[in-house]
Amino acid sequence: MIMKLDAVKFKIVKPLLTGLENHPVMHGVIDGNNLGEIYVDNERNPKTAFIWAKNEMFYLCGRIDNEKFNSELEEYIASEIRLEALPEEDTLNLEIYPNHEWNGSVESIFTRVSLLKGERVPFVFHKEWFNSSDSKDVPEGYEVQPISQELIERDRDDIVKNEIIKFWGESLGPFFQKGFGYVVVQGSNVIGTCLSVFVSENEYEIGINTYDTNHRGKGLATAMARAFIEECLIRNVTPHWTTESFRKDSIAIAKKLGFEQLEHYPVYYLPFDEFMIK
């Protein structure tokens, strides 16, 4: 039987995350910093967990040969999890990294949906590769600013506030206590954001977005990310960067800012509207 864990019990799944002790997304959920849910086979001694980092990713971890859990998961998603998804979460994005043994099991677990497959690109940061002196001037008319309460109040369209809420919840307090970020503005308009979308202890996952395509290709994302990484070095925390293989600009920015590209790994895309309840 699959069950949803109470948030106070999230830490019980930590032993299942072997090799992922520094993963800011999963541990950001487990630590209660960021929005998410966890589903297990046993709330006292779980063997397998299904972790939902909201607005980001789902993760399978733990025992691969948990036949009962595997056989119930698709139906549970269709009848329970699908109904909790936000309107913008129209696809279940599933990772099994780094345990590639799950690859063979995923297709046998999901038999009623069109299982699409892509590639994720992980990076590891080397601070000795990062050179802040390489920074170029932000194009005229733009300015990089830190996210503050004052900036949020000036943001008439609530772009920054809504971006924070997606990952940290309705209260901005936890973000200002444990997270930080930067924006690019043009006059009074927010053009892009770069913020810690998931945080666990000293591990900070970067989320970056330039919202209007007319402002892309000008070095704005690089400027925001550079400011973010400089803040990480001041705070003695580690930035994390992960993207999809087709996002060539993101890959190029990461390499420019001191990240080493690691081996690609699979990610599965499962459209929620194809989960039909029997």
Side-chain angles (χ1 to χ4, degrees):
M1 178 181 176
I2 298 176
M3 60 194 71
K4 180 178 174 180
L5 274 182
D6 291 335
V8 294
K9 298 180 179 179
F10 280 2
K11 285 183 169 56
I12 198 171
V13 305
K14 277 183 176 283
L16 303 180
L17 274 63
T18 303
L20 295 166
E21 289 81 5
N22 296 326
H23 195 291
V25 181
M26 281 192 269
H27 285 283
V29 173
I30 293 170
D31 293 345
N33 296 332
N34 306 109
L35 297 181
E37 304 290 353
I38 299 179
Y39 308 89
V40 296
D41 60 324
N42 186 305
E43 62 181 349
R44 294 184 178 179
N45 183 28
K47 297 177 181 178
T48 308
F50 192 55
I51 300 175
W52 180 9
K54 292 192 174 182
N55 289 297
E56 179 67 13
M57 194 70 62
F58 286 79
Y59 301 89
L60 268 170
C61 55
R63 286 274 298 273
I64 298 167
D65 59 348
N66 193 338
E67 295 183 4
K68 183 171 177 55
F69 185 91
N70 294 352
S71 67
E72 295 178 357
L73 183 58
E74 188 176 39
E75 180 65 28
Y76 192 83
I77 293 171
S79 61
E80 301 292 338
I81 296 176
R82 181 177 64 91
L83 303 179
E84 295 186 34
L86 300 173
E88 58 267 29
E89 291 183 286
D90 57 356
T91 302
L92 186 154
N93 303 321
L94 173 65
E95 279 192 18
I96 53 176
Y97 179 79
N99 194 340
H100 299 298
E101 294 180 19
W102 273 105
N103 281 333
S105 299
V106 169
E107 293 187 12
S108 63
I109 291 173
F110 298 98
T111 60
R112 296 183 295 163
V113 296
S114 299
L115 191 65
L116 307 177
K117 190 175 181 180
E119 285 189 327
R120 292 275 280 173
V121 185
F123 294 86
V124 61
F125 181 69
H126 299 284
K127 64 180 179 181
E128 64 274 16
W129 293 8
F130 176 75
N131 189 346
S132 59
S133 65
D134 288 341
S135 61
K136 297 180 180 179
D137 291 336
V138 179
E140 185 176 355
Y142 298 96
E143 184 181 356
V144 176
Q145 297 181 357
I147 294 176
S148 64
Q149 187 64 53
E150 180 185 358
L151 182 141
I152 289 174
E153 292 171 0
R154 294 200 314 265
D155 179 14
R156 294 169 299 182
D157 297 322
D158 287 334
I159 292 173
V160 180
K161 180 180 179 180
N162 290 336
E163 196 69 29
I164 293 171
I165 286 173
K166 280 168 55 178
F167 303 97
W168 290 83
E170 291 293 331
S171 172
L172 300 182
F175 172 78
F176 283 114
Q177 290 170 9
K178 299 183 178 181
F180 60 87
Y182 288 82
V183 301
V184 164
V185 297
Q186 185 182 51
S188 60
N189 298 320
V190 174
I191 304 302
T193 59
C194 177
L195 61 128
S196 47
V197 288
F198 290 90
V199 171
S200 175
E201 297 184 357
N202 293 329
E203 314 299 327
Y204 283 63
E205 182 75 16
I206 296 173
I208 189 166
N209 201 339
T210 304
Y211 298 99
D212 188 334
T213 56
N214 292 325
H215 297 283
R216 294 176 184 171
K218 299 181 179 182
L220 302 179
T222 301
M224 288 188 292
R226 189 183 300 281
F228 185 96
I229 293 169
E230 289 174 348
E231 183 69 21
C232 285
L233 296 177
I234 291 171
R235 297 183 181 218
N236 196 29
V237 300
T238 302
H240 289 253
W241 192 295
T242 310
T243 190
E244 289 78 23
S245 60
F246 63 86
R247 299 189 186 278
K248 304 302 181 184
D249 289 348
S250 179
I251 293 172
I253 293 170
K255 289 181 176 180
K256 189 186 304 182
L257 295 176
F259 288 90
E260 176 189 0
Q261 183 177 339
L262 304 180
E263 183 180 355
H264 296 196
Y265 61 86
V267 59
Y268 297 90
Y269 304 104
L270 313 170
F272 270 122
D273 62 5
E274 294 189 19
F275 280 94
M276 304 301 295
I277 303 175
K278 291 179 179 178

